[in-house]
Amino acid sequence: MGHFFTFPRIPVFILYCCCFIITATTAVDPPTCDSSYGCISSIRQEDCAKGEILISGGSLNGCCPGCRGGRTYLAVCNLNIPDRLCAPGLKCVGRKCIYDRSTCLHTMHLDKDLVGWIPKCNLDGTYAAKQCRGDRLSGRCFCYSEDGKRIFGWDWYRNTERMTCACSRRRDKLEKEGRFDVTLHCTQNGNYEELQCDSGLCWCADELTGSVQLGTTVVHESLWELLPCYNSTLHGESYLRQCESAAQAQKLILKKFYARGTVGVTFNEIPCDYDGAYGRYKVENGVVYCTWRDGKKIGSFQIRSSMLSSVNCYCARDTIIYREAGIPFTLACGGNGNYEYSQDQNGQLFCVDSDGFVVTTEVAPNESCDKFIYNSAFYDED
């Protein structure tokens, strides 16, 4: 039996219920979202009223997407009074609503006339996996983690129709859970390579989901060459690539030391990208160098290893990416290989973010670019 309910600014939802004959002495649990509700909705953020944000669980007692409002940024709040709760994306600290940077939804409260780019969010407050910048001809799309960190995977905007970043997302999640030996291989755009091996098993994978291809099976890693997706020319004799082999050997040695109770043993980290190539940097003798996929240093970009956490080498690598694409590269890199936020081209001042995309052309001499960049320290209020 179907009942239709209409809510203000919320499309029609269909509530599916099962009918039971209940005696007066029968205890009945309240219906749950999984068993009782079916949400059919095409609601968009544009359908919400001013000051409201579309979130998962925003209607039907948390079972369906809906618009939800609350106290605005810097408004007085009180966690114990329902009509003084902060809106989604904000948190009540010291009786004042401030940005909750643990959720992507905080970006919905930023000044869009000031901040040069706002990332896309999922309804549950996580960041969308694929974030695109620029136009469809020369723009680029990047893979992001659920918590808003750029991770392995990118492509030119014009080529991203089938880009899901699912492989990069999966590897990032496993590594954050403590897996140090993940060997999933991702393509340049963050999707799955066809042949996958991990945790001692190998299979032919769907590029979008990583699931086993229909009509194939999972085999022990020693039998990986028997898989129909194996290609001797492409894959060779070893699944692990050069960087991965070196990094895995290093990690296994450390694991043995720890198992024997030996601590304090350190090696220079060998970072690898999710496709098995060498990572964006390497550390030698207390110095961090930006590197290309073959492990070779890029230019003279370097910084002392104590500053490693601030290094991304995106600018250094982009000098090669744009050159190989035949696109002039005119932006300035910092000595550490990151993009300089403040740019000056023939007296024209402008700001770019960590991905090298312009966020404003209206900046005064000696003015900081931080307020134009959504994830800069300018918006960190904790």
Side-chain angles (χ1 to χ4, degrees), residues 100-135:
D100 182 359
R101 294 186 66 174
S102 68
T103 170
C104 180
L105 297 178
H106 86 275
T107 62
M108 304 291 288
H109 300 276
L110 299 177
D111 184 348
K112 294 176 177 57
D113 293 327
L114 180 65
V115 178
W117 176 71
I118 303 292
K120 290 185 177 180
C121 304
N122 297 320
L123 296 185
D124 62 359
T126 58
Y127 287 75
K130 182 174 69 176
Q131 303 283 349
C132 296
R133 314 292 305 278
D135 58 58

Side-chain angles (χ1 to χ4, degrees), residues 97 99-100 122 127 151 156 167 229 245 255 276 289 314 345:
C97 291
Y99 299 122
D100 182 359
N122 297 320
Y127 287 75
I151 55 178
W156 299 104
C167 179
C229 55
S245 296
K255 186 177 181 180
Y289 299 94
Y314 291 151
Q345 291 185 358

Side-chain angles (χ1 to χ4, degrees), residues 210-273:
S211 57
V212 180
Q213 290 181 5
L214 188 65
T216 65
T217 187
V218 179
V219 302
H220 186 269
E221 61 184 359
S222 62
L223 303 175
W224 73 300
E225 295 180 359
L226 300 180
L227 289 169
C229 55
Y230 171 78
N231 181 303
S232 59
T233 303
L234 178 64
H235 300 111
E237 298 179 355
S238 173
Y239 174 78
L240 294 181
R241 284 144 194 180
Q242 186 176 5
C243 181
E244 291 177 305
S245 296
Q248 288 286 79
Q250 184 184 84
K251 291 172 182 176
L252 289 174
I253 292 173
L254 283 174
K255 186 177 181 180
K256 290 180 179 179
F257 274 120
Y258 294 152
R260 296 172 182 173
T262 304
V263 296
V265 178
T266 60
F267 296 99
N268 286 331
E269 182 187 4
I270 305 176
C272 302
D273 279 339

Side-chain angles (χ1 to χ4, degrees), residues 178-195:
R179 280 279 311 275
F180 71 92
D181 57 351
V182 184
T183 56
L184 296 174
H185 281 164
C186 308
T187 56
Q188 176 192 289
N189 65 2
N191 290 3
Y192 285 90
E193 287 191 7
E194 186 177 22
L195 196 156

Side-chain angles (χ1 to χ4, degrees), residues 134-347:
D135 58 58
R136 290 189 174 273
L137 290 177
S138 58
R140 299 167 71 189
C141 296
F142 304 96
C143 294
Y144 273 66
S145 64
E146 290 186 352
D147 58 357
K149 304 295 190 301
R150 179 176 157 183
I151 55 178
F152 176 83
W154 75 275
D155 209 335
W156 299 104
Y157 203 150
R158 59 183 179 271
N159 301 329
T160 58
E161 183 177 349
R162 291 175 59 81
M163 177 178 174
T164 66
C165 297
C167 179
S168 292
R169 273 272 177 110
R170 180 60 179 163
R171 279 204 57 157
D172 176 70
K173 184 176 182 179
L174 289 172
E175 290 171 357
K176 286 177 177 175
E177 291 174 351
R179 280 279 311 275
F180 71 92
D181 57 351
V182 184
T183 56
L184 296 174
H185 281 164
C186 308
T187 56
Q188 176 192 289
N189 65 2
N191 290 3
Y192 285 90
E193 287 191 7
E194 186 177 22
L195 196 156
Q196 295 290 337
C197 291
D198 191 43
S199 299
L201 300 174
C202 298
W203 67 98
C204 296
D206 179 275
E207 68 162 322
L208 303 182
T209 65
S211 57
V212 180
Q213 290 181 5
L214 188 65
T216 65
T217 187
V218 179
V219 302
H220 186 269
E221 61 184 359
S222 62
L223 303 175
W224 73 300
E225 295 180 359
L226 300 180
L227 289 169
C229 55
Y230 171 78
N231 181 303
S232 59
T233 303
L234 178 64
H235 300 111
E237 298 179 355
S238 173
Y239 174 78
L240 294 181
R241 284 144 194 180
Q242 186 176 5
C243 181
E244 291 177 305
S245 296
Q248 288 286 79
Q250 184 184 84
K251 291 172 182 176
L252 289 174
I253 292 173
L254 283 174
K255 186 177 181 180
K256 290 180 179 179
F257 274 120
Y258 294 152
R260 296 172 182 173
T262 304
V263 296
V265 178
T266 60
F267 296 99
N268 286 331
E269 182 187 4
I270 305 176
C272 302
D273 279 339
Y274 288 177
D275 61 355
Y278 284 91
R280 292 173 277 115
Y281 64 85
K282 66 179 178 181
V283 181
E284 290 182 350
N285 302 318
V287 179
V288 182
Y289 299 94
C290 293
T291 53
W292 184 237
R293 293 168 44 79
D294 57 5
K296 295 181 179 179
K297 298 175 184 177
I298 303 174
S300 58
F301 300 110
Q302 59 181 275
I303 195 171
R304 61 183 184 275
S305 58
S306 60
M307 302 293 290
L308 176 60
S309 62
S310 66
V311 174
N312 59 49
C313 292
Y314 291 151
C315 187
R317 280 206 158 186
D318 282 354
T319 62
I320 298 178
I321 289 172
Y322 279 82
R323 184 178 70 231
E324 291 184 345
I327 301 174
F329 187 83
T330 58
L331 297 178
C333 301
N336 61 357
N338 296 0
Y339 278 98
E340 290 279 14
Y341 286 169
S342 298
Q343 299 278 331
D344 182 348
Q345 291 185 358
N346 300 320

